[in-house]
Amino acid sequence: MNDVAFSICGNFGYSGGKDNRLVMWDMRTGDVVSERTNVHTEGVLGMAVAASGAFIVTCDANENRVMVWHAKTLAPMQTLEGHERGVAGVAVSPDSTMIVSGGFGGVVKVWEVQGEGGRWKVKRTINDHTNGVPAVAFSPDGKMLATGSGDTTIKVYDVTNDFSLMHTLEGHTGYVMSVSYTHLRAHE
């Protein structure tokens, strides 16, 4: 298994892995609710669930696309194409209006939904990393985006200011594989 994600209510979990399956679990009973096979070429490397509960997104390091799936039926909703190399990480904004994907070429794509029930389109392409970007995360308020890379840095962007670079965090000596924000206020 490569990744696990949970619905905001906590009643459903999603898993994906090298077996190339996307599975929706009922967390109360442990039963499989829905399942899809052959969702990517090599398997599911990363996934994220929209806070709205409407969709989930998945990626595969060997594909230059992101898949958007209906959260309840696991039916495909849209394929997001635009990366030149494989996609290593995905995240959904807290308001479920943006998807971010990090690629192996050091490229980060920001996708924005167009209209109610609309299609996803590239809003911004960020080329600040020099190596793959498997780690992407929005802050809980949706105002910041953090990206972690094989170039050993973490970049922090101001979402409200067209994703302008706020900080480059340095200090890791190896690939940054994961980034996360806390819901807690610092030093309470």
Side-chain angles (χ1 to χ4, degrees):
M1 176 141 13
N2 285 340
D3 209 350
V4 176
F6 296 92
S7 63
I8 194 99
C9 67
N11 292 334
F12 300 100
Y14 301 87
S15 61
K18 283 295 219 181
D19 61 359
N20 210 8
R21 292 172 52 222
L22 176 60
V23 181
M24 179 182 181
W25 303 88
D26 184 321
M27 300 310 291
R28 297 163 294 193
T29 66
D31 294 332
V32 171
V33 176
S34 187
E35 178 178 353
R36 282 199 79 85
T37 58
N38 301 316
V39 296
H40 287 285
T41 304
E42 295 287 324
V44 178
L45 178 62
M47 71 171 53
V49 179
S52 67
F55 63 91
I56 64 173
V57 294
T58 61
C59 66
D60 176 355
N62 295 303
E63 294 178 349
N64 59 354
R65 64 186 178 136
V66 173
M67 294 296 298
V68 183
W69 308 91
H70 190 279
K72 292 185 178 142
T73 65
L74 300 184
M77 294 173 65
Q78 187 176 344
T79 300
L80 309 181
E81 296 178 306
H83 282 275
E84 292 182 14
R85 295 179 60 192
V87 180
V90 289
V92 179
S93 64
D95 64 1
S96 303
T97 63
M98 287 183 280
I99 295 170
V100 170
S101 53
F104 278 107
V107 174
V108 174
K109 297 267 185 194
V110 179
W111 309 83
E112 187 172 50
V113 69
Q114 305 294 306
E116 185 68 29
R119 306 288 287 167
W120 296 91
K121 297 196 186 233
V122 174
K123 173 186 176 80
R124 183 103 156 75
T125 299
I126 302 168
N127 292 295
D128 292 340
H129 286 290
T130 60
N131 203 328
V133 183
V136 290
F138 282 97
S139 62
D141 63 6
K143 294 180 178 178
M144 290 185 288
L145 170 70
T147 61
S149 171
D151 65 13
T152 72
T153 68
I154 298 166
K155 307 275 186 183
V156 182
Y157 299 92
D158 183 349
V159 173
T160 64
N161 191 20
D162 197 31
F163 292 87
S164 62
L165 182 62
M166 296 171 61
H167 309 288
T168 298
L169 310 178
E170 298 177 295
H172 283 279
T173 57
Y175 219 107
V176 178
M177 300 296 294
S178 182
V179 293
S180 180
Y181 283 91
T182 178
H183 288 273
L184 303 175
R185 288 189 228 156
H187 310 293
E188 282 193 22

